[in-house]
Amino acid sequence: MLENKTKKSEFQIELKNRFSTFQNAAEEIISIEDHWQEIKNAFTTACETSVGLKNRKHQEWITPETLVKDVRNSARRDKRAFVDKLTAEAEEAARANNIKALYDNIKLLTGKYQKGSRPVKSKEGKTLNTHEEQMKRWVEHFKDVLNQDPPVRKADIPPSEELLAVDYARRFSTSVCMALSVMIAGLHLSRPS
């Protein structure tokens, strides 16, 4: 039954202790149903204390009440509420021009969502597992990239032979007009009425 010998011996000791206290209180039990309930409680508490409860992973949209009650209807209701919440978040992100949140919600709603990133590897190609090792590798990488010697030979780029016709005056005047209108609007808003 139990393959782990230490767990098995813990269970047996716990069960013996439960039944020894159960036998001492056996005179108080009145009916067969009470007697059966006491035996059942002794087994379940011995199992819970020695072996423990199984950790079950459930979908994030299922509430704990759903696992006990009418599973099918409650799960459908919970999933609908979860989808409605994600849809509302996606709509709010679209209104706020928050593209990252919008796409994250769309990926989660469509089921094509993989949270995580690619593994960071050392220079030798070995995968780094801890966050600390990965951060050290990123520091090392950027030191190598950003602290390179300047090129030995400068790039020989000849000057352009034809000049482009750009109307600087018109662009400059429109930029100045826009900046002034923003400043004036700001002054009008900041003045007390």
Side-chain angles (χ1 to χ4, degrees):
M1 201 161 114
L2 289 171
E3 294 177 3
N4 189 339
K5 294 188 187 292
T6 57
K7 289 287 183 186
K8 185 175 182 178
S9 65
E10 285 178 20
F11 174 71
Q12 289 173 342
I13 292 170
E14 185 70 27
L15 196 60
K16 284 179 186 176
N17 291 340
R18 298 276 173 196
F19 275 107
S20 66
T21 58
F22 175 68
Q23 286 175 347
N24 294 340
E27 295 83 27
E28 299 173 13
I29 298 174
I30 300 169
S31 68
I32 297 290
E33 291 176 10
D34 292 338
H35 186 66
W36 167 245
Q37 193 63 37
E38 289 291 327
I39 293 172
K40 182 180 169 186
N41 287 342
F43 270 99
T44 54
T45 53
C47 286
E48 286 177 2
T49 55
S50 62
V51 179
L53 295 174
K54 182 178 181 182
N55 292 333
R56 294 187 178 168
K57 185 180 179 194
H58 59 83
Q59 298 293 334
E60 61 186 40
W61 46 267
I62 297 180
T63 60
E65 292 83 27
T66 303
L67 296 173
V68 177
K69 294 180 182 175
D70 185 16
V71 176
R72 185 175 292 159
N73 292 333
S74 296
R76 192 176 297 133
R77 196 175 330 114
D78 289 346
K79 186 171 185 180
R80 174 55 49 202
F82 178 72
V83 168
D84 289 344
K85 180 182 144 239
L86 284 179
T87 306
E89 287 176 7
E91 289 173 356
E92 184 61 34
R95 276 191 223 101
N97 288 335
N98 186 350
I99 302 300
K100 183 186 180 328
L102 175 65
Y103 282 119
D104 284 348
N105 281 331
I106 289 171
K107 284 180 186 176
L108 197 57
L109 284 168
T110 58
K112 298 176 183 173
Y113 190 72
Q114 293 179 344
K115 203 168 190 178
S117 61
R118 292 185 173 194
V120 178
K121 295 189 175 186
S122 67
K123 283 187 175 180
E124 297 79 32
K126 181 182 172 189
T127 302
L128 302 176
N129 296 325
T130 65
H131 181 70
E132 185 178 320
E133 290 174 335
Q134 291 174 357
M135 289 295 111
K136 285 180 182 176
R137 175 63 183 119
W138 280 116
V139 168
E140 181 184 349
H141 167 74
F142 283 112
K143 280 183 179 177
D144 291 346
V145 169
L146 298 175
N147 295 328
Q148 292 182 1
D149 293 331
V152 177
R153 199 174 69 132
K154 298 263 183 188
D156 188 22
I157 302 173
S160 176
E161 293 179 7
E162 67 180 75
L163 296 174
L164 300 174
V166 178
D167 187 8
Y168 291 109
R170 193 178 76 153
R171 292 198 83 191
F172 181 72
S173 65
T174 56
S175 302
V176 170
C177 287
M178 285 177 58
L180 285 173
S181 64
V182 168
M183 287 174 51
I184 290 170
L187 289 174
H188 288 296
L189 291 175
S190 64
R191 283 188 188 165
S193 300

